[in-house]
């Protein structure tokens, strides 16, 4: 009998990615699978806090061991903004185009364009909390390039590449991204149990 572990998300792509790696040992359930249809408020001021808020909520209310992630784009010249506000930088509409437009405006005339994506995964397992982090550094271009991906992909160029995430496409992005690195650390941990 495989152990059940909840991934505090309903994002099909994220679920598939982890299920594939740990399928021999864990049955990965989504929030929907456990009847959790609420929008868990991400009220933390850091990625770690937000990831922990999600998993503690699931553990306390539904009783399942659980992991969950939070991701943000951090820009040096903007003192780490948009950070935890990445999804709603230009307002509550979660509008990627508007978020990018605001970012480019804030960086207008700025020569230091360094930025990174950071993903934090929090895991509660057997009464203990664990954290896994993935990070990719790069810079923010002056305009959008490419159409693949989502969020800030058209303006983020990872170090070592001449193309943005949106030009590189999902196959390459999924090998090098912040989220891929964090998921790999989580899966390495789970597969050693
Ligand atoms: P989440 O925590 O994975 O929902 O990410 C929060 C926000 O960060 C998203 O709504 C996007 O704006 C941004 N973001 C996260 N990951 C990526 C990525 O891989 N590419 C571009 N933007 C991203």
């Amino acid at each position: 009998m495989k152990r059940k572990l909840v991934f505090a998300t309903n994002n099909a792509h994220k679920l598939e990615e982890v299920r594939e790696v740990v399928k021999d040992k864990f049955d990965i359930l989504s929030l929907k699978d456990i009847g959790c249809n609420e929008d868990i408020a991400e009220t933390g001021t850091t990625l770690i806090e937000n990831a922990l808020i999600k998993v503690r909520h699931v553990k306390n209310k539904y009783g399942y061991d659980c992991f969950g992630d939070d991701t943000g784009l951090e820009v040096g010249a903007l003192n780490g903004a948009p950070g935890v506000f990445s999804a709603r930088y230009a307002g509550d509409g979660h509008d990627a185009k508007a978020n990018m437009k605001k970012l480019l405006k804030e960086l207008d005339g700025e020569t230091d364009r360094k930025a990174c994506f950071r993903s934090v995964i929090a895991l509660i397992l057997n009464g203990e909390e664990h954290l896994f982090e993935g990070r990719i550094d790069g810079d923010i271009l002056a305009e959008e390039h490419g159409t693949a991906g989502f969020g800030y992909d058209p303006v983020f160029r990872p170090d070592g590449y001449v193309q943005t995430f949106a030009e590189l496409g999902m196959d390459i992005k999924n090998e090098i991204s912040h989220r891929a690195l964090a998921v790999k650390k989580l899966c390495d941990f789970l597969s050693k149990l």
Side-chain angles (χ1 to χ4, degrees), residues 42-60:
E42 296 182 3
T43 52
T45 57
T46 64
L47 299 174
I48 290 179
E49 273 175 31
N50 276 343
L52 285 171
I53 285 171
K54 276 190 262 193
V55 293
R56 285 173 183 163
H57 181 82
V58 170
K59 181 70 194 179
N60 292 339

Side-chain angles (χ1 to χ4, degrees), residues 14 70-71 86-87 117 150-153 173 178-179:
K14 292 184 185 177
D70 197 30
T71 297
S86 294
F117 275 113
F150 71 102
Y152 299 88
D153 281 351
K173 187 182 165 194
H178 44 298
R179 195 170 8 261

Side-chain angles (χ1 to χ4, degrees), residues 1-175:
M1 180 74 172
K2 282 192 279 183
R3 288 171 66 181
K4 290 191 191 314
L5 189 57
V6 171
F7 187 175
T9 186
N10 282 318
N11 179 315
H13 172 75
K14 292 184 185 177
L15 282 160
E16 187 56 39
E17 195 175 57
V18 178
R19 274 187 181 133
E20 186 53 35
V21 185
V22 299
K23 63 182 176 208
D24 292 340
K25 286 193 179 155
F26 290 93
D27 215 356
I28 303 293
L29 306 176
S30 67
L31 287 176
K32 213 165 124 207
D33 291 334
I34 60 165
C36 171
N37 295 311
E38 50 192 316
D39 209 5
I40 304 168
E42 296 182 3
T43 52
T45 57
T46 64
L47 299 174
I48 290 179
E49 273 175 31
N50 276 343
L52 285 171
I53 285 171
K54 276 190 262 193
V55 293
R56 285 173 183 163
H57 181 82
V58 170
K59 181 70 194 179
N60 292 339
K61 188 158 172 191
Y62 299 85
Y64 286 95
D65 278 347
C66 174
F67 63 91
D69 66 329
D70 197 30
T71 297
L73 173 70
E74 298 177 345
V75 181
L78 302 178
N79 296 317
V84 284
F85 300 108
S86 294
R88 49 202 148 108
Y89 192 37
D92 268 339
H94 291 237
D95 178 341
K97 279 267 171 205
N99 288 339
M100 268 189 296
K101 198 171 159 200
K102 177 170 179 188
L103 180 67
L104 295 184
K105 190 159 172 258
E106 296 288 333
L107 286 175
D108 192 26
E110 177 61 61
T111 52
D112 174 9
R113 318 277 303 186
K114 285 192 185 46
C116 71
F117 275 113
R118 276 203 310 129
S119 265
V120 171
I121 295 176
L123 166 72
I124 296 186
L125 190 65
N126 304 328
E128 282 180 13
E129 292 180 346
H130 307 266
L131 293 169
F132 307 90
E133 184 180 319
R135 168 186 176 138
I136 182 159
D137 289 275
D139 54 294
I140 304 296
L141 302 187
E143 54 194 39
E144 296 175 31
H145 294 269
T147 51
F150 71 102
Y152 299 88
D153 281 351
V155 294
F156 182 82
R157 179 176 57 195
D159 286 351
Y161 292 82
V162 291
Q163 293 165 302
T164 64
F165 264 169
E167 292 173 300
L168 287 169
M170 291 314 276
D171 285 351
I172 294 181
K173 187 182 165 194
N174 285 341
E175 277 175 26

